[in-house]
């Protein structure tokens, strides 16, 4: 029981892992967690314990714990704890902070269980038409009764003939007849590998005029590929190099940074972690070794992770002396990772402190967004043409990461390093160069998006990935044409008495350097979008892009701008699962029929809320999605829309046939009854 009287629950995390039943903050030890349930990225994430304010007052300051702000220390409900690490015999403990629908998973489940009802104009108009037929039938019913009484017809005949008028006018077979097109469409969809659990949605898919796509695993392949590296020497860029594991670079600081600046770990003897880190580490061909429980217990602390080159990287020498030297090098050249400052999406960088075996002084290695890394380096080490080189790569759709290095002072001991603030380390660095990564599009993606564009069906990207990466992928796949302009809306919440505001920047200028990019006057944007001549509008279109934080601020403080932004918004990056659902609802509020195509559990809410949700995975997403494709590519989207339109046309024709048939029969029966009575 806490000093305030509240009951506190502490759970023990098993060493072999578990599925988290609640949200909890880690108090001791470290955990490796798969958070694909929430993020859609099947990447093991390392969680570290919350710093103890009594032990590290400088590290914590006056901060108040928040699950969103302290994600690095929080185990979320529904995520899979793969393994834990701590001293031998010690328990890994976590404090329960949220349960039930209050957890991140609970909010996702609630959005699936209780979605807002989907309104479809065809069914709404059909109800109104049936109501009008009921009114017509009522008139005929009253007319027949009155006329029969005046002609002194027996009572039982009046009842039969009057009720016959109602059953003729309102056709009882109409619902069954309207499902005929849906049934045949469902059979055809099954043959092409698209399964449906909500057949009524097939008709709605025939009216889709906007489709939201997830990026990773949907538009692009799951992984990243290393395209090459471009090192810097004497503040000048060298020529790009395709291979990073060459003999000449073996002991360079550039390779040492690639070998140490990551969050990789071994799970069951297999290297796991962020795909980007994994590709970077595999490219250099080094080996990662983690301390065993016995070693940790022996030294009474968690031993550092050690990286070293593999034997294949050392050149085979013919001379015996050289062989002895190589053998010595193999056994001595190792780097220990002493402390890790994890990647922060706010800071856009990560940093590690490492020490080469035998060296007295430690080294700091940093990697992250190029413009951020360059700002933390000595200006004399950054090449003059840095911005132009970076812009060239980003325009081609590459994902660029910058590396930096700094030799630390000899007075920094192991104990001091464990308590030092990262700001003291991440400054006065030497700029080392760039790593260029390539996120390949799926082969079918450009052709499918072109087909949708020709059919006047708008495409929108909704992803949890980086903003600039998402924009470059949108340009590569044809979602944003080369001549189109992209405007980034950066919304800032109220702070220090200042009202919330929105900063507008062109994406091209933001890619170079955010601090000096010229802002766009917000008054000019509607003018450019609305009052341009038709010729100019056809030549140059404008697309809005924003991240999840900006989207949340706009929804809360700028409600009047939401319709304008979603009408012209094409890229929505760093979106949380509930924000994806909110975006789908915002698009539906401006009269779009929205389709959603995704493959992760983080897409479940949006897949359920959209008029037509298509899952490319047979795991969690297929539970909430009305449609599931066996083929994991977006080629299923036009096929579904095609079948939806066929079913919709069939429903229209059947509806008109049944309605006309009923009205003709109603008139003929009414007249025949009167003639017989006369």
């Amino acid at each position: 029981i806490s000093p305030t009287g509240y009951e506190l629950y502490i759970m023990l995390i098993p060493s072999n892992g578990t599925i988290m039943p609640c949200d909890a903050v880690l108090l001791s030890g470290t955990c490796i967690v798969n958070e694909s349930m929430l993020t859609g990225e099947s990447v093991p994430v390392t969680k570290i314990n919350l710093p103890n304010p009594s032990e590290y007052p400088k590290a914590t300051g006056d901060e108040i714990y928040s699950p969103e702000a302290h994600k690095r220390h929080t185990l979320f409900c529904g995520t899979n704890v793969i393994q834990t690490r701590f001293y031998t015999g010690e328990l890994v403990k976590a404090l329960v902070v949220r349960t039930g629908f209050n957890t991140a998973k609970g909010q996702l489940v609630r959005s699936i269980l209780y979605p807002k009802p989907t309104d479809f104009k065809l069914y709404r108009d059909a109800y109104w038409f049936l109501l009008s037929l009921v009114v017509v039938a009522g008139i005929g019913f009253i007319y027949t009764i009155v006329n029969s009484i005046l002609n002194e017809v027996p009572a039982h005949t009046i009842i039969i003939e009057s009720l016959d008028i109602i059953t003729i006018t309102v056709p009882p077979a109409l619902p069954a007849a309207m499902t005929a097109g849906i049934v045949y469409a469902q059979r055809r969809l099954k043959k092409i590998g698209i399964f449906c659990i909500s057949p009524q949605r097939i008709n709605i898919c025939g009216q889709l005029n906007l489709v939201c796509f997830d990026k990773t695993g949907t538009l692009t392949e799951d992984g990243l590929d290393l395209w090459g590296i471009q090192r810097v020497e004497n503040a000048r860029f060298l020529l790009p190099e395709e291979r990073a594991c060459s003999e000449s670079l073996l002991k360079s600081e550039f390779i040492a940074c690639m070998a140490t600046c990551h969050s990789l770990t071994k799970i069951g003897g297999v290297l796991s972690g962020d795909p980007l880190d994994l590709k970077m580490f595999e490219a250099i061909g080094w080996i990662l070794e983690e301390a065993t429980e016995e070693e940790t217990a022996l030294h009474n602390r968690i031993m550092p992770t050690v990286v070293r080159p593999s034997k294949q990287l050392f050149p085979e020498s013919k001379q015996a002396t050289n062989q002895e030297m190589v053998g010595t090098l193999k056994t001595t050249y190792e780097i220990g990772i002493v402390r890790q400052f994890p990647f922060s999406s706010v800071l856009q960088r990560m940093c590690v402190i490492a020490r080469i075996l035998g060296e007295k002084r430690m080294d700091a290695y940093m990697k992250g967004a190029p413009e951020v890394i360059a700002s933390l380096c000595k200006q004399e080490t950054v090449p003059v043409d840095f911005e132009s080189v970076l812009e060239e790569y980003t325009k081609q759709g590459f994902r660029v990461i910058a590396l930096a290095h700094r030799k630390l002072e000899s007075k920094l001991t192991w104990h001091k390093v464990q308590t030092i603030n990262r700001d003291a380390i991440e400054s006065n660095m030497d700029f080392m160069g760039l790593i260029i990564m390539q996120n390949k599009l799926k082969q079918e993606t450009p052709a499918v998006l072109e087909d949708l564009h020709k059919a006047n069906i708008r495409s929108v990207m909704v992803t949890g990935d980086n903003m600039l990466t998402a924009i470059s992928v949108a340009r590569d796949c044809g979602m944003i044409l080369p001549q189109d302009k992209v405007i980034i809306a950066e919304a800032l919440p109220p702070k220090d008495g200042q009202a919330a505001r929105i900063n507008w920047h062109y994406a091209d200028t933001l890619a170079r350097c955010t601090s000096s990019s010229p802002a766009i006057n917000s008054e000019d944007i509607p003018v450019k979008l609305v009052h341009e001549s038709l010729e100019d509008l056809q030549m140059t279109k404008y697309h809005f892009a924003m991240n999840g934080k900006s989207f949340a601020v706009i929804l809360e403080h700028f409600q009047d701008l939401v319709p304008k932004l979603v009408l012209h918004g094409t890229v929505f990056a760093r979106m949380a699962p509930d924000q994806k659902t909110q975006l789908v609802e915002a698009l539906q509020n401006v009269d779009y029929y929205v389709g959603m195509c995704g493959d992760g559990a983080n897409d479940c809410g949006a897949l359920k809320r959209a008029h037509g949700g298509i899952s490319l995975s047979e795991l969690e997403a297929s539970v909430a999605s009305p449609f599931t494709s066996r083929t994991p590519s977006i080629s299923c989207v036009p096929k579904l829309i095609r079948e939806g339109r066929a079913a919709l046309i069939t429903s229209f024709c059947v509806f008109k046939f049944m309605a006309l048939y009923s009205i003709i029969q109603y008139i003929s029966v009414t007249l025949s009854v009167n003639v017989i009575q006369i």
Side-chain angles (χ1 to χ4, degrees):
I1 299 176
S2 69
T4 55
Y6 291 101
E7 290 185 353
L8 302 178
Y9 294 92
I10 294 178
M11 64 180 297
L12 304 178
I13 312 296
S15 59
N16 59 345
T18 184
I19 302 291
M20 288 300 295
C22 59
D23 287 358
V25 58
L26 202 57
L27 299 178
S28 61
T30 61
C31 293
I32 299 166
V33 186
N34 186 337
E35 293 188 328
S36 61
M37 176 69 193
L38 299 177
T39 63
E41 308 289 335
S42 299
V43 178
V45 180
T46 302
K47 302 281 186 175
I48 59 176
N49 62 296
L50 195 70
N52 190 335
S54 60
E55 294 180 11
Y56 305 113
K58 292 181 180 178
T60 55
D62 298 326
E63 280 187 274
I64 297 174
Y65 170 77
S66 163
E68 286 70 30
H70 298 84
K71 289 182 179 179
R72 191 67 182 176
H73 314 294
T74 306
L75 304 172
F76 292 101
C77 179
T79 58
N80 182 15
V81 178
I82 301 169
Q83 69 178 37
T84 63
R85 292 183 66 196
F86 204 34
Y87 311 134
T88 302
E90 297 289 335
L91 299 172
V92 177
K93 301 175 184 177
L95 176 67
V96 177
V97 291
R98 294 189 301 197
T99 59
F101 283 128
N102 294 320
T103 64
K105 181 184 177 182
Q107 293 169 8
L108 184 62
V109 171
R110 180 161 47 189
S111 68
I112 296 170
L113 291 176
Y114 309 109
K116 292 184 180 179
T118 303
D119 187 24
F120 187 39
K121 197 169 185 297
L122 172 66
Y123 297 143
R124 190 171 66 245
D125 291 347
Y127 292 138
W128 281 109
F129 184 76
L130 288 174
L131 190 61
S132 64
L133 287 181
V134 170
V135 173
V136 172
I139 295 170
F141 178 76
I142 295 169
Y143 172 77
T144 304
I145 291 176
V146 172
N147 197 46
S148 299
I149 292 172
L150 292 175
N151 289 295
E152 298 180 352
V153 177
H156 71 278
T157 306
I158 294 174
I159 294 171
I160 293 171
E161 290 177 351
S162 301
L163 294 176
D164 193 28
I165 292 290
I166 293 176
T167 56
I168 288 171
T169 311
V170 184
L174 181 61
M178 286 187 67
T179 58
I182 295 174
V183 169
Y184 283 108
Q186 190 174 4
R187 288 181 182 175
R188 289 193 296 269
L189 285 172
K190 187 177 179 180
K191 288 180 181 178
I192 58 177
I194 301 174
F195 300 94
C196 176
I197 60 172
S198 179
Q200 294 301 321
R201 296 286 185 107
I202 296 176
N203 269 346
I204 305 179
C205 289
Q207 282 202 305
L208 294 183
N209 51 10
L210 183 146
V211 183
C212 297
F213 293 99
D214 183 32
K215 184 184 77 69
T216 308
T218 303
L219 295 174
T220 65
E221 301 289 351
D222 283 321
L224 288 163
D225 294 314
L226 182 72
W227 181 84
I229 62 174
Q230 190 160 10
R231 294 182 297 124
V232 169
E233 284 186 6
N234 300 323
R236 290 185 179 181
F237 276 114
L238 302 178
L239 292 174
E241 300 169 74
E242 189 176 340
R243 294 178 70 249
C245 57
S246 63
E247 176 190 338
S248 58
L249 299 176
L250 187 62
K251 296 185 71 175
S252 67
E253 291 166 346
F254 192 96
I255 296 301
C257 184
M258 292 179 68
T260 57
C261 199
H262 53 71
S263 56
L264 299 177
T265 186
K266 280 195 172 181
I267 301 173
V270 179
L271 207 58
S272 301
D274 187 280
L276 188 147
D277 289 341
L278 206 55
K279 286 286 182 182
M280 184 180 71
F281 192 77
E282 288 173 352
I284 60 174
W286 282 41
I287 297 170
L288 182 140
E289 294 178 347
E290 290 180 327
T292 62
E293 288 188 5
E294 291 76 12
E295 290 172 329
T296 299
L298 184 65
H299 294 82
N300 200 27
R301 61 179 175 83
I302 296 179
M303 293 289 289
T305 300
V306 175
V307 293
R308 58 180 176 80
S310 62
K311 295 180 180 180
Q312 289 80 4
L313 294 178
F314 295 99
E316 294 295 332
S317 179
K318 296 180 180 179
Q319 299 180 6
T321 54
N322 288 346
Q323 287 178 355
E324 290 174 5
M325 183 181 69
V326 170
T328 307
L329 183 64
K330 288 179 185 178
T331 56
T332 57
Y333 191 63
E334 294 180 348
I335 305 175
I337 302 170
V338 179
R339 189 179 178 192
Q340 183 187 98
F341 296 102
F343 176 80
S344 166
S345 57
V346 177
L347 300 176
Q348 293 186 306
R349 63 182 184 269
M350 78 166 292
C351 180
V352 295
I353 298 174
R355 185 164 67 182
I356 300 172
L357 185 65
E359 293 281 339
K360 292 183 178 180
R361 296 170 67 182
M362 297 185 188
D363 298 271
Y365 299 102
M366 182 169 62
K367 75 170 184 184
E371 58 273 14
V372 175
I373 299 298
S375 67
L376 297 171
C377 291
K378 300 172 187 172
Q379 287 307 304
E380 60 268 21
T381 65
V382 180
V384 179
D385 58 345
F386 166 74
E387 291 183 9
S388 59
V389 171
L390 176 60
E391 183 180 6
E392 190 63 32
Y393 283 126
T394 53
K395 279 185 176 179
Q396 295 178 50
F398 292 114
R399 184 168 181 178
V400 184
I401 300 158
L403 304 183
H405 165 260
R406 174 186 163 192
K407 203 78 175 173
L408 298 179
E409 298 80 7
S410 56
K411 64 180 181 180
L412 279 176
T413 62
W414 187 91
H415 181 72
K416 288 181 179 179
V417 163
Q418 300 306 314
T419 57
I420 197 169
N421 196 329
R422 72 184 294 171
D423 292 335
I425 299 294
E426 297 173 341
S427 60
N428 294 320
M429 308 285 280
D430 294 330
F431 191 82
M432 291 198 300
L434 305 172
I435 298 176
I436 301 101
M437 310 292 289
Q438 188 177 22
N439 191 198
K440 291 182 180 178
L441 287 171
K442 287 187 176 179
Q443 190 176 355
E444 309 87 355
T445 298
V448 170
L449 293 180
E450 187 180 357
D451 288 344
L452 294 177
H453 181 70
K454 288 178 181 177
N456 290 324
I457 298 172
R458 194 176 144 209
S459 301
V460 171
M461 185 188 296
V462 189
T463 177
D465 208 340
N466 177 273
M467 169 76 75
L468 294 178
T469 304
I471 292 173
S472 68
V473 170
R475 287 195 181 277
D476 287 347
C477 66
M479 198 175 284
I480 298 174
L481 299 178
Q483 68 271 20
D484 293 355
K485 294 285 185 182
V486 180
I487 299 172
I488 293 181
E490 183 187 4
L492 303 174
K495 189 177 181 182
D496 299 331
Q498 294 182 349
R501 68 182 192 276
I502 303 177
N503 295 331
W504 311 89
H505 299 276
Y506 284 116
D508 293 340
T509 58
L510 191 71
R512 293 192 208 108
C513 189
T514 54
S515 59
S516 60
S517 60
I520 305 169
N521 189 345
S522 59
E523 296 296 327
D524 296 339
I525 294 171
V527 174
K528 288 182 178 178
L529 288 171
V530 179
H531 298 294
E532 278 186 322
S533 65
L534 184 60
E535 293 179 2
D536 292 339
L537 193 61
Q538 289 174 346
M539 289 175 62
T540 305
K541 291 184 180 179
Y542 291 85
H543 303 262
F544 286 119
M546 68 193 76
N547 59 26
K549 289 184 179 178
S550 297
F551 183 70
V553 172
I554 290 169
L555 279 181
E556 185 177 353
H557 299 283
F558 301 96
Q559 279 287 339
D560 56 324
L561 278 180
V562 173
K564 290 181 182 178
L565 289 173
V566 298
L567 279 171
H568 298 279
T570 303
V571 176
F572 296 85
R574 298 293 186 201
M575 297 286 278
D578 58 325
Q579 290 176 331
K580 292 185 178 185
T581 308
Q582 290 169 356
L583 176 62
V584 170
E585 291 174 359
L587 289 165
Q588 290 172 337
N589 290 338
V590 291
D591 295 332
Y592 273 116
Y593 284 93
V594 183
M596 175 70 196
C597 186
D599 66 337
N602 60 324
D603 301 317
C604 286
L607 288 168
K608 186 77 172 179
R609 183 69 188 97
H611 291 105
I614 312 160
S615 168
L616 302 185
S617 166
E618 296 183 12
L619 301 176
E620 299 98 337
S622 61
V623 176
S625 178
F627 302 95
T628 301
S629 173
R630 184 179 289 171
T631 307
S633 75
I634 64 171
S635 58
C636 62
V637 175
K639 294 176 183 176
L640 177 61
I641 295 175
R642 195 177 294 117
E643 291 296 341
R645 290 184 177 183
L648 186 61
I649 290 297
T650 305
S651 296
F652 269 127
C653 293
V654 168
F655 188 86
K656 287 190 289 185
F657 171 78
M658 294 296 290
L660 286 171
Y661 177 82
S662 299
I663 291 171
I664 292 168
Q665 192 177 11
Y666 163 75
I667 295 170
S668 61
V669 169
T670 305
L671 292 175
S672 64
V673 167
N674 291 334
V675 169
I676 291 170
Q677 290 174 356
I678 292 171

